[in-house]
Amino acid sequence: MSPDATDPPALRSGPAWIREASTRRLARTLALGQVLAALVCGTAVSSQYLSSAFRVDAPLLQSVLHYALLGAAYTPALLCRTGSESVFQIGRRRWLQYSVLGLVDVEANYAVVKAYQYTTLTSIQLLDCFVIPVVMFLSWWLLKTRYRPVHYVSVCICLLGVGAMVGADLLAGRDQGSTSNMLLGDGLVLLSAALYGLSNVWQEYAVKNRSRLEFLGMLGLFGTLISSVQMVVLELHQVSAIHWSWQVAVLFAAFACCMFGLYSLMPVVMKESSAAAVNLSMLTADIFSIFCGIFIFRYNFSGLYVVSLVLIFAGFTTFNAVPVAPSASSSCENVCHDDPAQPSKQEVALAGEQRRKSIRVVDCTRL
């Protein structure tokens, strides 16, 4: 018996409609993840050109530029809002949250760049993966995300891909960096990974419960203020020593534009997937950087690079193919709920239940 033509589309198509929507979502997530990886690759290549070809060592100046670009693009849109969603009301209620977020994000960027002065590239590539377990733990703890066994297996496959990439670097003799104080350098990498994990989970909560515009506008505002003050205190001598040319200006602009695109697109991917999925997708950025280095910086090619790319893609695809199981309630709602004038979701639900009970009591008295 064929279904009636007047049935809803979901009933007519059944599981096939659900599978098609899931496939489109997966393809979109994979594509956007690789765009993020390409943007990270662009930041790495422009930074390496500034350091190797022009002897520029000014990470805080680079941070100031990209935070200022975020602020210029998104903060004025908040200024146009009125009422409780205006930038003044948001700043009054949540200025402490966004100032701490700006500090965490700025220091995460600064710590990983400083690590190159003390430890090797191999150590940074390996230890930087610490951000993935940090993100998964914080998501489990704060956002109440419940991962399935297949997600842990997928992460292990991605980390095997990173191991293959590091092995290829060692075989090719491309262990760049310094060994002046490896303990300090490795500690900076771990600190940076922990701060990135906190920033990314915070970002996932903000874009799923507030708005992408609010997050980017406030991060641009506070990030610019914090990185500017830190640059004046710690980096004024390095900035004054820069020999400016049009090539240096183009590389600074390329870095800022890639970071702007990365920060603008990352909330979109996080809203459709999760912070853990975003960090897994960006593991391929190192592979893209290596392929760029083969053509630009004349690195030696190794077949392990292809193996690494396949493993990371396989793990990332598997991770996104199976949806996580988020809880209906989140402890982060209680932690981050900061406006006493606005009732929380639990308070609204409790008030509704009490109202329904009172109506039933009234009805019983009328009987």
Side-chain angles (χ1 to χ4, degrees):
M1 181 178 180
S2 60
D4 188 11
T6 61
D7 288 342
L11 296 178
R12 293 199 307 268
S13 54
W17 177 81
I18 299 175
R19 286 197 299 269
E20 182 181 355
S22 179
T23 302
R24 288 199 301 268
R25 182 194 64 82
L26 177 60
R28 176 180 170 85
T29 302
L30 293 175
L32 291 176
Q34 296 318 296
V35 174
L36 292 178
L39 291 171
V40 173
C41 175
T43 64
V45 171
S46 57
S47 294
Q48 188 166 358
Y49 255 121
L50 283 171
S51 177
S52 61
F54 299 99
R55 299 294 185 269
V56 174
D57 181 22
L60 286 171
L61 176 60
Q62 293 174 253
S63 294
V64 169
L65 293 177
H66 92 79
Y67 284 121
L69 197 56
L70 281 176
Y74 295 105
T75 306
L78 289 178
L79 291 172
C80 297
R81 288 182 169 184
T82 59
S84 61
E85 296 301 317
S86 67
V87 66
F88 303 105
Q89 294 297 324
I90 293 173
R92 183 181 63 84
R93 297 195 307 268
R94 294 192 277 268
W95 68 270
L96 182 59
Q97 288 186 25
Y98 283 114
S99 60
V100 173
L101 175 63
L103 180 64
V104 167
D105 203 71
V106 169
E107 300 311 319
N109 289 319
Y110 181 69
V112 72
V113 173
K114 292 296 291 183
Y116 282 94
Q117 299 180 11
Y118 303 105
T119 190
T120 61
L121 179 63
T122 300
S123 296
I124 293 174
Q125 288 173 327
L126 284 174
L127 296 176
D128 194 47
C129 297
F130 181 61
V131 67
I132 296 173
V134 169
V135 165
M136 294 183 73
F137 171 74
L138 291 177
S139 298
W140 172 84
W141 180 37
L142 296 177
L143 304 182
K144 298 302 180 183
T145 302
R146 294 296 177 256
Y147 296 101
R148 297 183 171 91
V150 66
H151 295 121
Y152 297 105
V153 174
S154 303
V155 170
C156 292
I157 294 174
C158 289
L159 295 181
L160 283 176
V162 175
M165 175 183 61
V166 172
D169 287 343
L170 293 176
L171 292 176
R174 199 178 69 88
D175 193 16
Q176 301 176 355
S178 173
T179 57
S180 61
N181 193 337
M182 294 192 66
L183 184 61
L184 175 60
D186 293 347
L188 287 173
V189 177
L190 292 175
L191 174 63
S192 172
L195 293 176
Y196 271 130
L198 178 59
S199 175
N200 288 342
V201 171
W202 203 330
Q203 180 175 354
E204 181 182 351
Y205 170 80
V207 299
K208 289 182 177 180
N209 294 274
R210 293 172 184 168
S211 72
R212 171 175 171 265
L213 177 62
E214 175 185 329
F215 175 82
L216 292 175
M218 300 304 287
L219 179 63
L221 176 62
F222 284 97
T224 302
L225 295 175
I226 294 170
S227 58
S228 298
V229 172
Q230 190 170 347
M231 182 190 68
V232 172
V233 174
L234 300 178
E235 209 174 77
L236 195 58
H237 176 71
Q238 290 90 330
V239 173
S240 60
I242 296 176
H243 298 287
W244 289 96
S245 64
W246 69 268
Q247 295 98 329
V248 172
V250 167
L251 289 173
F252 269 108
F255 177 87
C257 290
C258 287
M259 288 294 287
F260 174 79
L262 176 66
Y263 274 65
S264 298
L265 184 59
M266 192 180 295
V268 177
V269 185
M270 281 191 182
K271 194 164 186 177
E272 295 189 358
S273 55
S274 65
V278 168
N279 281 278
L280 287 176
S281 71
M282 290 193 292
L283 291 179
T284 56
D286 289 333
I287 301 294
F288 293 158
S289 298
I290 288 171
F291 284 133
C292 289
I294 291 172
F295 297 101
I296 298 175
F297 301 108
R298 299 294 185 265
Y299 293 161
N300 295 324
F301 178 78
S302 172
L304 284 176
Y305 291 143
V306 178
V307 174
S308 175
L309 184 62
V310 171
L311 286 173
I312 293 175
F313 266 124
F316 176 58
T317 304
T318 306
F319 188 95
N320 286 279
V322 180
V324 297
S327 173
S329 61
S330 172
S331 62
C332 194
E333 291 179 358
N334 298 327
V335 173
C336 298
H337 186 73
D338 49 16
D339 187 4
Q342 298 290 333
S344 64
K345 293 181 180 179
Q346 291 83 356
E347 293 170 343
V348 172
L350 181 60
E353 181 65 23
Q354 292 175 344
R355 189 180 302 110
R356 286 191 294 271
K357 289 181 179 179
S358 64
I359 292 174
R360 288 197 294 268
V361 170
V362 172
D363 290 341
C364 290
T365 57
R366 289 178 179 177
L367 291 175

PDB file of all heavy atoms in Angstrom, residues 225-258:
ATOM      1  N   LEU A 225      42.105  45.711  23.622  1.00  0.00           N
ATOM      2  CA  LEU A 225      42.595  46.451  24.795  1.00  0.00           C
ATOM      3  C   LEU A 225      43.699  45.689  25.516  1.00  0.00           C
ATOM      4  O   LEU A 225      44.765  46.243  25.843  1.00  0.00           O
ATOM      5  CB  LEU A 225      41.430  46.730  25.744  1.00  0.00           C
ATOM      6  CG  LEU A 225      40.333  47.665  25.228  1.00  0.00           C
ATOM      7  CD1 LEU A 225      39.191  47.749  26.227  1.00  0.00           C
ATOM      8  CD2 LEU A 225      40.899  49.054  24.938  1.00  0.00           C
ATOM      9  N   ILE A 226      43.496  44.402  25.761  1.00  0.00           N
ATOM     10  CA  ILE A 226      44.455  43.613  26.530  1.00  0.00           C
ATOM     11  C   ILE A 226      45.747  43.412  25.753  1.00  0.00           C
ATOM     12  O   ILE A 226      46.857  43.587  26.291  1.00  0.00           O
ATOM     13  CB  ILE A 226      43.832  42.261  26.916  1.00  0.00           C
ATOM     14  CG1 ILE A 226      42.676  42.483  27.894  1.00  0.00           C
ATOM     15  CG2 ILE A 226      44.871  41.334  27.538  1.00  0.00           C
ATOM     16  CD1 ILE A 226      41.852  41.247  28.149  1.00  0.00           C
ATOM     17  N   SER A 227      45.662  43.047  24.475  1.00  0.00           N
ATOM     18  CA  SER A 227      46.883  42.825  23.688  1.00  0.00           C
ATOM     19  C   SER A 227      47.645  44.122  23.448  1.00  0.00           C
ATOM     20  O   SER A 227      48.880  44.112  23.384  1.00  0.00           O
ATOM     21  CB  SER A 227      46.524  42.171  22.352  1.00  0.00           C
ATOM     22  OG  SER A 227      45.609  42.970  21.615  1.00  0.00           O
ATOM     23  N   SER A 228      46.949  45.249  23.341  1.00  0.00           N
ATOM     24  CA  SER A 228      47.645  46.531  23.162  1.00  0.00           C
ATOM     25  C   SER A 228      48.457  46.899  24.398  1.00  0.00           C
ATOM     26  O   SER A 228      49.626  47.306  24.297  1.00  0.00           O
ATOM     27  CB  SER A 228      46.634  47.638  22.855  1.00  0.00           C
ATOM     28  OG  SER A 228      45.942  47.391  21.652  1.00  0.00           O
ATOM     29  N   VAL A 229      47.853  46.733  25.581  1.00  0.00           N
ATOM     30  CA  VAL A 229      48.582  47.030  26.817  1.00  0.00           C
ATOM     31  C   VAL A 229      49.778  46.098  26.980  1.00  0.00           C
ATOM     32  O   VAL A 229      50.883  46.527  27.322  1.00  0.00           O
ATOM     33  CB  VAL A 229      47.634  46.915  28.029  1.00  0.00           C
ATOM     34  CG1 VAL A 229      48.412  47.026  29.333  1.00  0.00           C
ATOM     35  CG2 VAL A 229      46.550  47.988  27.962  1.00  0.00           C
ATOM     36  N   GLN A 230      49.581  44.824  26.680  1.00  0.00           N
ATOM     37  CA  GLN A 230      50.674  43.871  26.819  1.00  0.00           C
ATOM     38  C   GLN A 230      51.774  44.139  25.802  1.00  0.00           C
ATOM     39  O   GLN A 230      52.964  43.953  26.099  1.00  0.00           O
ATOM     40  CB  GLN A 230      50.135  42.448  26.648  1.00  0.00           C
ATOM     41  CG  GLN A 230      51.140  41.372  27.020  1.00  0.00           C
ATOM     42  CD  GLN A 230      50.510  39.993  27.078  1.00  0.00           C
ATOM     43  OE1 GLN A 230      49.288  39.860  27.069  1.00  0.00           O
ATOM     44  NE2 GLN A 230      51.336  38.965  27.145  1.00  0.00           N
ATOM     45  N   MET A 231      51.424  44.580  24.606  1.00  0.00           N
ATOM     46  CA  MET A 231      52.427  44.894  23.602  1.00  0.00           C
ATOM     47  C   MET A 231      53.281  46.080  24.038  1.00  0.00           C
ATOM     48  O   MET A 231      54.513  46.070  23.891  1.00  0.00           O
ATOM     49  CB  MET A 231      51.755  45.206  22.259  1.00  0.00           C
ATOM     50  CG  MET A 231      52.737  45.511  21.135  1.00  0.00           C
ATOM     51  SD  MET A 231      51.927  46.164  19.657  1.00  0.00           S
ATOM     52  CE  MET A 231      51.375  47.764  20.233  1.00  0.00           C
ATOM     53  N   VAL A 232      52.655  47.116  24.601  1.00  0.00           N
ATOM     54  CA  VAL A 232      53.406  48.286  25.069  1.00  0.00           C
ATOM     55  C   VAL A 232      54.353  47.900  26.198  1.00  0.00           C
ATOM     56  O   VAL A 232      55.492  48.376  26.270  1.00  0.00           O
ATOM     57  CB  VAL A 232      52.430  49.391  25.524  1.00  0.00           C
ATOM     58  CG1 VAL A 232      53.184  50.529  26.195  1.00  0.00           C
ATOM     59  CG2 VAL A 232      51.626  49.907  24.336  1.00  0.00           C
ATOM     60  N   VAL A 233      53.940  46.978  27.058  1.00  0.00           N
ATOM     61  CA  VAL A 233      54.768  46.594  28.207  1.00  0.00           C
ATOM     62  C   VAL A 233      55.897  45.661  27.804  1.00  0.00           C
ATOM     63  O   VAL A 233      57.045  45.824  28.259  1.00  0.00           O
ATOM     64  CB  VAL A 233      53.881  45.947  29.295  1.00  0.00           C
ATOM     65  CG1 VAL A 233      54.741  45.404  30.439  1.00  0.00           C
ATOM     66  CG2 VAL A 233      52.868  46.945  29.824  1.00  0.00           C
ATOM     67  N   LEU A 234      55.619  44.682  26.928  1.00  0.00           N
ATOM     68  CA  LEU A 234      56.577  43.613  26.664  1.00  0.00           C
ATOM     69  C   LEU A 234      57.265  43.685  25.304  1.00  0.00           C
ATOM     70  O   LEU A 234      58.331  43.072  25.137  1.00  0.00           O
ATOM     71  CB  LEU A 234      55.875  42.250  26.784  1.00  0.00           C
ATOM     72  CG  LEU A 234      55.248  41.907  28.130  1.00  0.00           C
ATOM     73  CD1 LEU A 234      54.550  40.549  28.050  1.00  0.00           C
ATOM     74  CD2 LEU A 234      56.292  41.899  29.229  1.00  0.00           C
ATOM     75  N   GLU A 235      56.700  44.402  24.346  1.00  0.00           N
ATOM     76  CA  GLU A 235      57.171  44.233  22.979  1.00  0.00           C
ATOM     77  C   GLU A 235      57.474  45.545  22.269  1.00  0.00           C
ATOM     78  O   GLU A 235      57.649  45.560  21.046  1.00  0.00           O
ATOM     79  CB  GLU A 235      56.103  43.453  22.180  1.00  0.00           C
ATOM     80  CG  GLU A 235      56.629  42.629  21.050  1.00  0.00           C
ATOM     81  CD  GLU A 235      55.539  41.786  20.427  1.00  0.00           C
ATOM     82  OE1 GLU A 235      54.716  42.327  19.652  1.00  0.00           O
ATOM     83  OE2 GLU A 235      55.496  40.579  20.731  1.00  0.00           O
ATOM     84  N   LEU A 236      57.551  46.625  22.998  1.00  0.00           N
ATOM     85  CA  LEU A 236      57.742  47.928  22.348  1.00  0.00           C
ATOM     86  C   LEU A 236      59.068  47.994  21.618  1.00  0.00           C
ATOM     87  O   LEU A 236      59.175  48.581  20.528  1.00  0.00           O
ATOM     88  CB  LEU A 236      57.638  49.041  23.399  1.00  0.00           C
ATOM     89  CG  LEU A 236      57.456  50.459  22.858  1.00  0.00           C
ATOM     90  CD1 LEU A 236      56.202  50.545  21.992  1.00  0.00           C
ATOM     91  CD2 LEU A 236      57.382  51.463  24.002  1.00  0.00           C
ATOM     92  N   HIS A 237      60.135  47.417  22.203  1.00  0.00           N
ATOM     93  CA  HIS A 237      61.452  47.454  21.569  1.00  0.00           C
ATOM     94  C   HIS A 237      61.454  46.669  20.258  1.00  0.00           C
ATOM     95  O   HIS A 237      62.020  47.131  19.250  1.00  0.00           O
ATOM     96  CB  HIS A 237      62.500  46.885  22.524  1.00  0.00           C
ATOM     97  CG  HIS A 237      63.872  46.794  21.913  1.00  0.00           C
ATOM     98  ND1 HIS A 237      64.637  47.910  21.642  1.00  0.00           N
ATOM     99  CD2 HIS A 237      64.600  45.713  21.504  1.00  0.00           C
ATOM    100  CE1 HIS A 237      65.787  47.531  21.106  1.00  0.00           C
ATOM    101  NE2 HIS A 237      65.787  46.210  21.016  1.00  0.00           N
ATOM    102  N   GLN A 238      60.841  45.476  20.244  1.00  0.00           N
ATOM    103  CA  GLN A 238      60.809  44.680  19.011  1.00  0.00           C
ATOM    104  C   GLN A 238      60.001  45.366  17.914  1.00  0.00           C
ATOM    105  O   GLN A 238      60.364  45.315  16.740  1.00  0.00           O
ATOM    106  CB  GLN A 238      60.210  43.296  19.300  1.00  0.00           C
ATOM    107  CG  GLN A 238      61.092  42.389  20.136  1.00  0.00           C
ATOM    108  CD  GLN A 238      60.838  42.545  21.630  1.00  0.00           C
ATOM    109  OE1 GLN A 238      60.462  43.640  22.086  1.00  0.00           O
ATOM    110  NE2 GLN A 238      61.033  41.476  22.379  1.00  0.00           N
ATOM    111  N   VAL A 239      58.918  46.044  18.292  1.00  0.00           N
ATOM    112  CA  VAL A 239      58.095  46.735  17.293  1.00  0.00           C
ATOM    113  C   VAL A 239      58.855  47.911  16.693  1.00  0.00           C
ATOM    114  O   VAL A 239      58.830  48.143  15.481  1.00  0.00           O
ATOM    115  CB  VAL A 239      56.775  47.205  17.922  1.00  0.00           C
ATOM    116  CG1 VAL A 239      55.987  48.082  16.952  1.00  0.00           C
ATOM    117  CG2 VAL A 239      55.930  46.002  18.345  1.00  0.00           C
ATOM    118  N   SER A 240      59.574  48.659  17.538  1.00  0.00           N
ATOM    119  CA  SER A 240      60.338  49.806  17.033  1.00  0.00           C
ATOM    120  C   SER A 240      61.511  49.380  16.166  1.00  0.00           C
ATOM    121  O   SER A 240      62.003  50.172  15.346  1.00  0.00           O
ATOM    122  CB  SER A 240      60.846  50.656  18.207  1.00  0.00           C
ATOM    123  OG  SER A 240      61.698  49.886  19.045  1.00  0.00           O
ATOM    124  N   ALA A 241      61.975  48.128  16.308  1.00  0.00           N
ATOM    125  CA  ALA A 241      63.115  47.651  15.527  1.00  0.00           C
ATOM    126  C   ALA A 241      62.714  47.065  14.174  1.00  0.00           C
ATOM    127  O   ALA A 241      63.585  46.664  13.396  1.00  0.00           O
ATOM    128  CB  ALA A 241      63.892  46.610  16.332  1.00  0.00           C
ATOM    129  N   ILE A 242      61.415  47.002  13.867  1.00  0.00           N
ATOM    130  CA  ILE A 242      60.970  46.436  12.593  1.00  0.00           C
ATOM    131  C   ILE A 242      61.367  47.360  11.444  1.00  0.00           C
ATOM    132  O   ILE A 242      61.134  48.565  11.494  1.00  0.00           O
ATOM    133  CB  ILE A 242      59.445  46.219  12.605  1.00  0.00           C
ATOM    134  CG1 ILE A 242      59.057  45.182  13.663  1.00  0.00           C
ATOM    135  CG2 ILE A 242      58.963  45.758  11.229  1.00  0.00           C
ATOM    136  CD1 ILE A 242      57.555  44.985  13.801  1.00  0.00           C
ATOM    137  N   HIS A 243      61.969  46.786  10.412  1.00  0.00           N
ATOM    138  CA  HIS A 243      62.287  47.532   9.183  1.00  0.00           C
ATOM    139  C   HIS A 243      61.105  47.370   8.224  1.00  0.00           C
ATOM    140  O   HIS A 243      60.977  46.337   7.551  1.00  0.00           O
ATOM    141  CB  HIS A 243      63.583  47.018   8.551  1.00  0.00           C
ATOM    142  CG  HIS A 243      64.783  47.172   9.422  1.00  0.00           C
ATOM    143  ND1 HIS A 243      65.379  48.402   9.662  1.00  0.00           N
ATOM    144  CD2 HIS A 243      65.495  46.260  10.140  1.00  0.00           C
ATOM    145  CE1 HIS A 243      66.415  48.247  10.473  1.00  0.00           C
ATOM    146  NE2 HIS A 243      66.510  46.948  10.781  1.00  0.00           N
ATOM    147  N   TRP A 244      60.271  48.397   8.168  1.00  0.00           N
ATOM    148  CA  TRP A 244      59.033  48.279   7.430  1.00  0.00           C
ATOM    149  C   TRP A 244      59.269  48.362   5.927  1.00  0.00           C
ATOM    150  O   TRP A 244      60.099  49.145   5.455  1.00  0.00           O
ATOM    151  CB  TRP A 244      58.056  49.360   7.852  1.00  0.00           C
ATOM    152  CG  TRP A 244      57.497  49.141   9.226  1.00  0.00           C
ATOM    153  CD1 TRP A 244      57.944  49.681  10.393  1.00  0.00           C
ATOM    154  CD2 TRP A 244      56.406  48.290   9.578  1.00  0.00           C
ATOM    155  NE1 TRP A 244      57.196  49.234  11.449  1.00  0.00           N
ATOM    156  CE2 TRP A 244      56.237  48.374  10.979  1.00  0.00           C
ATOM    157  CE3 TRP A 244      55.542  47.468   8.843  1.00  0.00           C
ATOM    158  CZ2 TRP A 244      55.258  47.665  11.654  1.00  0.00           C
ATOM    159  CZ3 TRP A 244      54.557  46.761   9.507  1.00  0.00           C
ATOM    160  CH2 TRP A 244      54.423  46.865  10.905  1.00  0.00           C
ATOM    161  N   SER A 245      58.566  47.541   5.194  1.00  0.00           N
ATOM    162  CA  SER A 245      58.551  47.549   3.738  1.00  0.00           C
ATOM    163  C   SER A 245      57.178  47.072   3.289  1.00  0.00           C
ATOM    164  O   SER A 245      56.361  46.629   4.108  1.00  0.00           O
ATOM    165  CB  SER A 245      59.652  46.640   3.171  1.00  0.00           C
ATOM    166  OG  SER A 245      59.412  45.289   3.526  1.00  0.00           O
ATOM    167  N   TRP A 246      56.916  47.141   1.999  1.00  0.00           N
ATOM    168  CA  TRP A 246      55.599  46.716   1.550  1.00  0.00           C
ATOM    169  C   TRP A 246      55.413  45.212   1.741  1.00  0.00           C
ATOM    170  O   TRP A 246      54.290  44.747   2.001  1.00  0.00           O
ATOM    171  CB  TRP A 246      55.381  47.111   0.092  1.00  0.00           C
ATOM    172  CG  TRP A 246      56.226  46.342  -0.907  1.00  0.00           C
ATOM    173  CD1 TRP A 246      57.451  46.691  -1.387  1.00  0.00           C
ATOM    174  CD2 TRP A 246      55.864  45.103  -1.517  1.00  0.00           C
ATOM    175  NE1 TRP A 246      57.901  45.738  -2.263  1.00  0.00           N
ATOM    176  CE2 TRP A 246      56.936  44.751  -2.374  1.00  0.00           C
ATOM    177  CE3 TRP A 246      54.757  44.259  -1.445  1.00  0.00           C
ATOM    178  CZ2 TRP A 246      56.940  43.594  -3.136  1.00  0.00           C
ATOM    179  CZ3 TRP A 246      54.749  43.098  -2.201  1.00  0.00           C
ATOM    180  CH2 TRP A 246      55.832  42.779  -3.041  1.00  0.00           C
ATOM    181  N   GLN A 247      56.520  44.421   1.664  1.00  0.00           N
ATOM    182  CA  GLN A 247      56.393  42.981   1.892  1.00  0.00           C
ATOM    183  C   GLN A 247      55.999  42.685   3.337  1.00  0.00           C
ATOM    184  O   GLN A 247      55.134  41.835   3.600  1.00  0.00           O
ATOM    185  CB  GLN A 247      57.708  42.276   1.560  1.00  0.00           C
ATOM    186  CG  GLN A 247      58.109  42.343   0.094  1.00  0.00           C
ATOM    187  CD  GLN A 247      59.112  43.443  -0.163  1.00  0.00           C
ATOM    188  OE1 GLN A 247      59.085  44.471   0.525  1.00  0.00           O
ATOM    189  NE2 GLN A 247      59.976  43.224  -1.140  1.00  0.00           N
ATOM    190  N   VAL A 248      56.641  43.395   4.278  1.00  0.00           N
ATOM    191  CA  VAL A 248      56.315  43.186   5.688  1.00  0.00           C
ATOM    192  C   VAL A 248      54.863  43.584   5.955  1.00  0.00           C
ATOM    193  O   VAL A 248      54.130  42.881   6.670  1.00  0.00           O
ATOM    194  CB  VAL A 248      57.282  43.985   6.584  1.00  0.00           C
ATOM    195  CG1 VAL A 248      56.837  43.925   8.047  1.00  0.00           C
ATOM    196  CG2 VAL A 248      58.701  43.454   6.446  1.00  0.00           C
ATOM    197  N   ALA A 249      54.436  44.701   5.384  1.00  0.00           N
ATOM    198  CA  ALA A 249      53.054  45.145   5.582  1.00  0.00           C
ATOM    199  C   ALA A 249      52.064  44.137   5.008  1.00  0.00           C
ATOM    200  O   ALA A 249      51.020  43.852   5.625  1.00  0.00           O
ATOM    201  CB  ALA A 249      52.858  46.519   4.933  1.00  0.00           C
ATOM    202  N   VAL A 250      52.366  43.566   3.847  1.00  0.00           N
ATOM    203  CA  VAL A 250      51.475  42.570   3.240  1.00  0.00           C
ATOM    204  C   VAL A 250      51.396  41.319   4.101  1.00  0.00           C
ATOM    205  O   VAL A 250      50.312  40.744   4.284  1.00  0.00           O
ATOM    206  CB  VAL A 250      51.956  42.231   1.814  1.00  0.00           C
ATOM    207  CG1 VAL A 250      51.242  40.990   1.290  1.00  0.00           C
ATOM    208  CG2 VAL A 250      51.716  43.404   0.874  1.00  0.00           C
ATOM    209  N   LEU A 251      52.528  40.890   4.659  1.00  0.00           N
ATOM    210  CA  LEU A 251      52.518  39.698   5.502  1.00  0.00           C
ATOM    211  C   LEU A 251      51.736  39.931   6.797  1.00  0.00           C
ATOM    212  O   LEU A 251      51.001  39.053   7.258  1.00  0.00           O
ATOM    213  CB  LEU A 251      53.953  39.274   5.820  1.00  0.00           C
ATOM    214  CG  LEU A 251      54.729  38.675   4.642  1.00  0.00           C
ATOM    215  CD1 LEU A 251      56.187  38.449   5.018  1.00  0.00           C
ATOM    216  CD2 LEU A 251      54.095  37.360   4.196  1.00  0.00           C
ATOM    217  N   PHE A 252      51.883  41.119   7.406  1.00  0.00           N
ATOM    218  CA  PHE A 252      51.073  41.446   8.581  1.00  0.00           C
ATOM    219  C   PHE A 252      49.584  41.452   8.222  1.00  0.00           C
ATOM    220  O   PHE A 252      48.750  40.945   8.990  1.00  0.00           O
ATOM    221  CB  PHE A 252      51.491  42.806   9.148  1.00  0.00           C
ATOM    222  CG  PHE A 252      52.562  42.729  10.195  1.00  0.00           C
ATOM    223  CD1 PHE A 252      53.849  43.152   9.916  1.00  0.00           C
ATOM    224  CD2 PHE A 252      52.284  42.249  11.466  1.00  0.00           C
ATOM    225  CE1 PHE A 252      54.844  43.095  10.872  1.00  0.00           C
ATOM    226  CE2 PHE A 252      53.264  42.180  12.434  1.00  0.00           C
ATOM    227  CZ  PHE A 252      54.553  42.601  12.142  1.00  0.00           C
ATOM    228  N   ALA A 253      49.259  42.042   7.073  1.00  0.00           N
ATOM    229  CA  ALA A 253      47.856  42.093   6.645  1.00  0.00           C
ATOM    230  C   ALA A 253      47.321  40.694   6.352  1.00  0.00           C
ATOM    231  O   ALA A 253      46.169  40.373   6.699  1.00  0.00           O
ATOM    232  CB  ALA A 253      47.720  42.982   5.417  1.00  0.00           C
ATOM    233  N   ALA A 254      48.153  39.837   5.730  1.00  0.00           N
ATOM    234  CA  ALA A 254      47.718  38.469   5.442  1.00  0.00           C
ATOM    235  C   ALA A 254      47.451  37.694   6.723  1.00  0.00           C
ATOM    236  O   ALA A 254      46.455  36.965   6.830  1.00  0.00           O
ATOM    237  CB  ALA A 254      48.780  37.754   4.604  1.00  0.00           C
ATOM    238  N   PHE A 255      48.340  37.860   7.709  1.00  0.00           N
ATOM    239  CA  PHE A 255      48.123  37.192   8.993  1.00  0.00           C
ATOM    240  C   PHE A 255      46.817  37.671   9.639  1.00  0.00           C
ATOM    241  O   PHE A 255      46.011  36.856  10.113  1.00  0.00           O
ATOM    242  CB  PHE A 255      49.304  37.455   9.925  1.00  0.00           C
ATOM    243  CG  PHE A 255      49.137  36.869  11.301  1.00  0.00           C
ATOM    244  CD1 PHE A 255      49.529  35.560  11.557  1.00  0.00           C
ATOM    245  CD2 PHE A 255      48.587  37.605  12.342  1.00  0.00           C
ATOM    246  CE1 PHE A 255      49.367  35.004  12.817  1.00  0.00           C
ATOM    247  CE2 PHE A 255      48.424  37.059  13.610  1.00  0.00           C
ATOM    248  CZ  PHE A 255      48.816  35.746  13.844  1.00  0.00           C
ATOM    249  N   ALA A 256      46.613  38.981   9.676  1.00  0.00           N
ATOM    250  CA  ALA A 256      45.406  39.525  10.311  1.00  0.00           C
ATOM    251  C   ALA A 256      44.147  39.065   9.588  1.00  0.00           C
ATOM    252  O   ALA A 256      43.139  38.722  10.227  1.00  0.00           O
ATOM    253  CB  ALA A 256      45.479  41.047  10.340  1.00  0.00           C
ATOM    254  N   CYS A 257      44.170  39.024   8.264  1.00  0.00           N
ATOM    255  CA  CYS A 257      42.982  38.608   7.506  1.00  0.00           C
ATOM    256  C   CYS A 257      42.684  37.124   7.713  1.00  0.00           C
ATOM    257  O   CYS A 257      41.512  36.734   7.847  1.00  0.00           O
ATOM    258  CB  CYS A 257      43.182  38.906   6.023  1.00  0.00           C
ATOM    259  SG  CYS A 257      43.175  40.673   5.608  1.00  0.00           S
ATOM    260  N   CYS A 258      43.735  36.292   7.752  1.00  0.00           N
ATOM    261  CA  CYS A 258      43.524  34.861   7.993  1.00  0.00           C
ATOM    262  C   CYS A 258      42.969  34.626   9.396  1.00  0.00           C
ATOM    263  O   CYS A 258      42.052  33.810   9.583  1.00  0.00           O
ATOM    264  CB  CYS A 258      44.826  34.089   7.800  1.00  0.00           C
ATOM    265  SG  CYS A 258      45.347  33.913   6.092  1.00  0.00           S
TER     266      CYS A 258
END
